[in-house]
Amino acid sequence: MRIVLWGFGAMGRGVAKNIVQSSFMKLVGVIDKNPAYVGKDVGEILGVGNYGVKVRESKDIIEETNPDLVVIATSSFVKDVLPQIEYCVKNHANVITIAEEMAYPFESHKSESEYLDSLAKRYGVTILGTGVNPGFVLDTLIIALTGVCSRVDKIVARRINDLSPFGKTVMETQGVGTTVEQFEEGLKKGTIVGHIGFPQSIMMIAKALGWKVDKIEEQRKPIVSKVYRETEVVKVQPGMVAGCDHSAKAYVGDKVVIELYHPQQIHPHLEEVDTGDYIEIYGNININLAIKPEIPGGKATIAIATNMIPIVITAEPGLKCMADLPVPRSILSELK
Ligand code: NAD
């Protein structure tokens, strides 16, 4: 399988390494605008020796190399990745993107989704949005668990994670290192957003279960630290914000049917907060799943974006979500 990567950041480099090291995929091109990478050999940057493919700024590489699939890891938003997806599809390439809004864009971006679906069908290729979350923990995994329930009445899930490994952009969008006043101001201005993906996860679950969600309410609160915390990119004094406690509730009528909680902060253990992924399903049977500590976000996103490659290449054409495709599985685990 011939693959191009668009976006050679933390996630893109991880996917690239998986492809380079696999026996059945070839990385035929990498696109990134970062001047620190442009013109350099991909293998040298990844620390695996010369690979013979250089990072380029121009998207023309897709037309030149005619890949089976392009992995897009450039942005979180439909408005940014739509022209990139469009270019790939018009060059007959399947697409996987980890843009959070693309995990289930059918409700939040209706006209864009209809356009991408018809374009993909016209060109005979498949487009998929995936990732750890949205894309797996608070949607696909929940949907899979409902497969053993004859009836589901309510879903409550929590992803409690550690933000410490992430870079400056994530700290800024989560409000880490701000005062409470700056946090509130950032929420109003839209510079602090918390988690991107609650509406997408909720609507994916609702679609799978045949529920008609009438309303989604989201709440973002500052996690105010009692102790000093620091990472390589941010320092948090006691009384300052260590993260964003973001949650969402979905209603059918006036009944809450889905509750998702995703408090994200740096060094949660400093205040005895255990990280983990927790899913509770209530229905004719009750399911209570706890994954401790949480599935690591970066490594899991890199893995699922890689693991979905053969599934997307062989899928029916169109714009798909994780719930439309076969169960994800590890494709790189050859036993010797
Ligand atoms: P990053 O900032 O490390 O990397 C992004 C890369 O894309 C950079 O190297 C940048 O130069 C490049 N880029 C951006 N726009 C470009 C353009 N127009 N042309 C060429 N190159 C361009 O970010 P990351 O950690 O690798 O994550 C990538 C995106 O995926 C982010 O938006 C992140 O929020 C999202 N993400 C989603 C999930 C999920 O679970 N769905 C998980 C992790 C990351």
Side-chain angles (χ1 to χ4, degrees), residues 6-13 31-34 37 57 73-77 84 98-100 130-135 166 169 196 297 301:
W6 198 334
F8 205 50
M11 298 300 104
R13 289 198 302 279
I31 309 164
D32 201 294
K33 60 183 183 184
N34 184 344
Y37 295 143
E57 200 174 350
T74 52
S75 162
S76 302
F77 306 106
Q84 299 169 346
I98 58 167
E100 286 90 334
T130 192
V132 71
N133 186 43
F166 291 92
T169 313
I196 304 165
T301 299

Side-chain angles (χ1 to χ4, degrees), residues 175-180 182 222-227 229 234-243:
V176 181
T178 61
T179 63
V180 174
Q182 287 166 339
I223 300 172
V224 181
S225 192
K226 292 194 182 75
V227 297
R229 311 185 194 190
V234 69
K235 289 182 173 39
V236 175
Q237 301 293 342
M240 285 171 71
V241 176

Side-chain angles (χ1 to χ4, degrees), residues 63-80:
E63 204 178 337
E64 289 164 25
T65 57
N66 193 24
D68 296 302
L69 183 141
V70 180
V71 177
I72 300 178
T74 52
S75 162
S76 302
F77 306 106
V78 168
K79 69 172 169 43
D80 297 329

